[in-house]
Amino acid sequence: MKLLRQLSFRPVLLSLLQVYGLVLAIFLLLPMLASAQSQTPDQSTANQWAGNWLVVGQGDEQLVWQLKADGTGFAHGFRADGQLTHGFAISWRIEGDTVRIRTGGTLHCNSGMVYAQFTGWSPVTLDFNVIDGRHWRQHNGGILAFQRRLPDWQTPNHGAECPNLYDGESKETQQTASAGN
């Protein structure tokens, strides 16, 4: 009897609870770690492309693309003299070496003022293959060349004055020239 009183199930029970807790933690954390690893390459690629870009399309069309890492953004088109002609909202995501873009909303200049309207997302998805760190090829053959980043670019708001792509550059050039004198 004395031997039975000394035997306790407490250490055995604590060991079983610890093992159960460890197994439960592994089964809960493992899927989260696996999903985080599968998303990481595309997310890091998206972060690489995020920002404001001067983009030149085929036919020397000048564009400013604003790509945000969360998959939203804007695209703006300009005439040769730098005047904004049109724009639209974009939703984009990277799947391997393919960038899928949907457009929605429109923006245009009329009498020197910006007019924006959102009527929903386009049912058409534009697919681009990433060629290298500066070029995307649309599936119909057109190439976009990402020329340089535009750190000071601001999205034009509805009712604002139509921006000129070269206004900020000419001011910087004038300031640099006057500082050198």
Side-chain angles (χ1 to χ4, degrees), residues 42-174:
D42 290 345
Q43 287 177 341
S44 65
T45 304
N47 287 334
Q48 171 190 340
W49 289 102
N52 302 327
W53 290 89
L54 175 63
V55 178
V56 177
Q58 218 157 356
D60 292 331
E61 183 179 358
Q62 298 176 78
L63 308 164
V64 171
W65 278 32
Q66 295 175 278
L67 302 176
K68 297 179 184 175
D70 68 357
T72 61
F74 296 94
H76 303 92
F78 295 86
R79 294 191 308 235
D81 66 356
Q83 274 304 120
L84 177 70
T85 58
H86 66 285
F88 43 88
I90 61 174
S91 171
W92 67 291
R93 72 178 183 274
I94 295 179
E95 297 173 354
D97 66 345
T98 302
V99 180
R100 307 199 77 194
I101 297 177
R102 287 185 54 198
T103 61
T106 59
L107 178 135
H108 63 275
C109 281
N110 189 7
S111 303
M113 300 295 284
V114 174
Y115 291 92
Q117 177 181 10
F118 188 79
T119 57
W121 292 104
S122 168
V124 177
T125 300
L126 305 173
D127 290 333
F128 294 86
N129 287 335
V130 177
I131 298 172
D132 58 27
R134 295 194 78 129
H135 298 90
W136 291 0
R137 180 188 302 274
Q138 192 171 4
H139 283 198
N140 70 1
I143 294 180
L144 294 176
F146 287 74
Q147 299 294 310
R148 61 187 163 88
R149 292 186 182 266
L150 301 172
D152 296 331
W153 178 259
Q154 298 290 325
T155 303
N157 292 324
H158 179 78
E161 184 179 326
C162 290
N164 186 304
L165 183 59
Y166 301 120
D167 279 349
E169 289 180 0
S170 62
K171 288 176 188 173
E172 287 176 12
T173 305
Q174 289 172 359

Side-chain angles (χ1 to χ4, degrees), residues 15-33:
S15 295
L16 286 175
L17 286 175
Q18 288 174 341
V19 170
Y20 177 74
L22 181 63
V23 169
L24 183 63
I26 288 173
F27 280 110
L28 290 176
L29 293 176
L30 198 57
M32 289 190 301
L33 292 174

